Amino acid sequence: MTQQTTGGTASLESHTGLTSLTEITSSPDPQAHYARLRKQWGAVAPVEIERKDDVVVPAWLVLGHAENCQVMRSELDYSRNAANWRWNVENLLPPGTAIGTYTPSVPRPTAFYHDGDERKRLREPLDEALAALDERVVRERTTDMCERVIDRMGPSGSGDLVKAYCRPIGFLAMTTTLGFDLETGAMLMADAASLVSGDGDRVAKAQANTAGIVLEHIRQRREEGGEDLLSRLAVHPNFAHDGEIASSAIVPVSAAAIFLTAWITETLHQVLADRSFAARVSGGRLTLDGTLDEVLWRRSPIAQSPAPRFALNDVELGGRRIRRGDALVLGIAAANRDPAVHTGDPWDEVDNRSHLSWGTGPHACPAPRLARLIARTAVDQLLRHMDVTLTEPTDDLPWAASAWVRHSERLPATWSQVPTAM
Ligand code: HEM
């Protein structure tokens, strides 16, 4: 069906009064925003990524499922390298923007920022190191780490579950898998919080500190050897120097830990807020894996991928003219609820794994199995050891102020340890 939509050929910068991505992602009902944008613009809509000193940084938000797949799969038209972004080429970005952190004009040496053969060279070590991880060991270490965080919550207490449990677990699980001890993990976690602060000086300091810790660790692991992720990356022949290894490790520490936190938070939110959901889980009608999938479909932890693409050519997408150099933001949560794939017919949902919460194409997440193992263990451990009750109606709780990830900013709760059977 052809929709009547606004301005098919107008340039991205010519649009004004754009909706901000952060406003959408942190609103109580982002799907209502996506539906409104879809109605006005079709499958591709202009939005505001960020505003700094009255300068609005625009991008195309890709709302359609098919259009998201098209962008994610075509490296020839859509690049991950922000050197191709008009706002970098023409030096239009005001200093100190948060988006500047994700879109360096000189790409860092990791698969995340590259296309084609260079992406393959840098991605291969990650794929191989992840495939070689012993899942039994990861489960044991994650369980151990969860138990230590649960112990710190005390026999009973109250507070914010995101701060007390989900955030430390998301980060420490990641740093533990890389091979850091808990103390170093806590330092890296503090740096990661600074990386998304939007404060240029703080970001630079945190980047330097993280790089120092990781580089030191790489040297150590190369000498001593080991089974963890970083030890495997440290000896991979594809890397030309330690800076490449450090960058490849820092993406998981800084970005994936935030995604994990969001997934764990929203799964606990779903289970604890909706008693019928909890009853389905405890009654055996829904597995924890089923619950985790439900969250990926309906409340994707990544609302928009924080890895925009940059048009390499003048192209048409979803009936809209995209100019060379435009930024495109992949609308994962919008695509997951695109009426074309999510019809509301329950029979269409049986075994339907076509959601885009892991991305697709050359930059798709390399770690869905590992992420699931960690998230499942984290949720299972908390529910096994603690009796948790949310203490505020969750409809009133704020959402994290982010353009990219969506999760409750806090989950106020009371908890008490479940007595262990003798
Ligand atoms: C064990 C934890 C995780 C690790 C180690 C990890 C690692 C990575 C890496 C290295 C990339 C970049 C790949 C590339 O550009 O070639 C990536 C991409 C991605 N990850 Fe993960 N990730 C983890 C957890 C998650 C979680 C929990 C989610 C959300 C459900 C997620 C969703 C994604 C998506 C959507 C992309 C693709 C972004 C795009 O194409 O724009 N990841 N991940």
Side-chain angles (χ1 to χ4, degrees):
M1 190 180 72
T2 315
Q3 270 178 316
Q4 202 56 43
T5 52
T6 322
T9 55
S11 75
L12 178 55
E13 280 83 7
S14 69
H15 297 292
T16 54
L18 304 180
T19 312
S20 112
L21 275 183
T22 305
E23 192 186 310
I24 298 176
T25 314
S26 58
S27 79
D29 187 2
Q31 291 300 335
H33 284 281
Y34 300 137
R36 179 181 53 74
L37 288 172
R38 212 176 263 128
K39 195 162 169 216
Q40 182 178 359
W41 301 97
V44 181
V47 290
E48 169 191 315
I49 300 189
E50 190 177 340
R51 178 188 294 259
K52 180 96 182 167
D53 306 331
D54 285 336
V55 179
V56 170
V57 185
W60 296 112
L61 173 62
V62 187
L63 297 153
H65 187 277
E67 289 76 11
N68 268 286
C69 291
Q70 196 176 332
V71 176
M72 287 173 177
R73 287 177 184 150
S74 169
E75 286 186 301
L76 293 180
D77 283 330
Y78 305 102
S79 169
R80 267 296 294 120
N81 184 344
N84 297 304
W85 186 19
R86 184 164 49 256
W87 281 61
N88 274 337
V89 174
E90 296 178 12
N91 215 4
L92 302 174
L93 207 59
T97 55
I99 184 66
T101 319
Y102 302 110
T103 53
S105 49
V106 179
R108 291 185 201 111
T110 148
F112 195 67
Y113 291 110
H114 285 275
D115 309 315
D117 289 345
E118 188 64 347
R119 175 194 59 73
K120 273 192 214 139
R121 177 178 75 82
L122 294 164
R123 168 79 185 231
E124 218 167 61
L126 261 178
D127 286 336
E128 287 175 17
L130 284 160
L133 281 178
D134 183 334
E135 294 193 358
R136 191 182 45 81
V137 174
V138 174
R139 192 183 307 109
E140 274 170 19
R141 290 200 182 140
T142 309
T143 303
D144 181 52
M145 192 255 311
C146 291
E147 283 174 355
R148 288 176 67 173
V149 176
I150 288 168
D151 276 349
R152 268 200 352 223
M153 291 166 72
S156 65
S158 62
D160 171 15
L161 209 54
V162 179
K163 195 169 164 205
Y165 191 73
C166 309
R167 195 165 286 134
I169 296 291
F171 276 86
L172 297 177
M174 211 56 266
T175 52
T176 305
T177 308
L178 275 159
F180 295 101
D181 59 33
L182 284 184
E183 288 65 34
T184 314
M187 271 195 273
L188 290 169
M189 181 169 145
D191 284 341
S194 301
L195 287 182
V196 290
S197 67
D199 169 344
D201 286 347
R202 232 180 113 188
V203 170
K205 224 184 236 173
Q207 276 172 340
N209 196 38
T210 299
I213 294 175
V214 175
L215 283 168
E216 175 58 31
H217 205 74
I218 291 168
R219 280 190 278 273
Q220 253 179 33
R221 304 313 270 177
R222 190 178 296 120
E223 270 168 33
E224 293 164 15
E227 303 289 296
D228 55 73
L229 209 54
L230 201 52
S231 299
R232 292 179 192 279
L233 294 178
V235 294
H236 200 286
N238 278 23
F239 290 122
H241 53 83
D242 283 1
E244 292 184 349
I245 306 174
S247 290
S248 301
I250 287 168
V251 169
V253 172
S254 55
I258 298 175
F259 305 165
L260 267 177
T261 300
W263 196 16
I264 295 168
T265 301
E266 279 319 291
T267 305
L268 282 168
H269 186 175
Q270 174 83 68
V271 172
L272 296 169
D274 183 343
R275 287 286 155 202
S276 64
F277 216 90
R280 278 194 276 160
V281 176
S282 62
R285 277 170 292 134
L286 188 61
T287 59
L288 203 42
D289 273 319
T291 313
L292 288 161
D293 278 333
E294 183 83 6
V295 170
L296 292 182
W297 257 118
R298 293 179 186 275
R299 309 167 165 235
S300 178
I302 304 185
Q304 282 79 230
S305 169
R309 305 304 200 260
F310 307 97
L312 290 171
N313 304 298
D314 290 350
V315 284
E316 199 202 283
L317 181 72
R320 195 151 298 282
R321 179 143 178 266
I322 309 295
R323 284 191 309 151
R324 181 178 171 191
D326 284 356
L328 297 103
V329 169
L330 301 166
I332 292 176
N336 286 355
R337 299 299 288 277
D338 179 341
V341 291
H342 215 278
T343 59
D345 175 348
W347 288 104
D348 284 345
E349 296 196 4
V350 177
D351 279 341
N352 185 339
R353 293 263 167 107
S354 61
H355 66 68
L356 292 180
S357 295
W358 301 114
T360 183
H363 287 281
C365 183
R369 271 181 76 93
L370 173 65
R372 178 179 292 272
L373 175 58
I374 293 170
R376 190 200 304 123
T377 307
V379 173
D380 181 51
Q381 284 300 309
L382 186 76
L383 299 178
R384 192 182 288 265
H385 290 289
M386 288 285 194
D387 217 342
V388 185
T389 309
L390 296 182
T391 50
E392 279 181 33
T394 58
D395 286 352
D396 301 341
L397 293 176
W399 294 88
S402 165
W404 318 108
V405 286
R406 178 169 164 85
H407 65 88
S408 304
E409 177 65 23
R410 47 195 178 83
L411 287 177
T414 57
W415 53 79
S416 55
Q417 277 194 20
V418 176
T420 42
M422 295 295 284

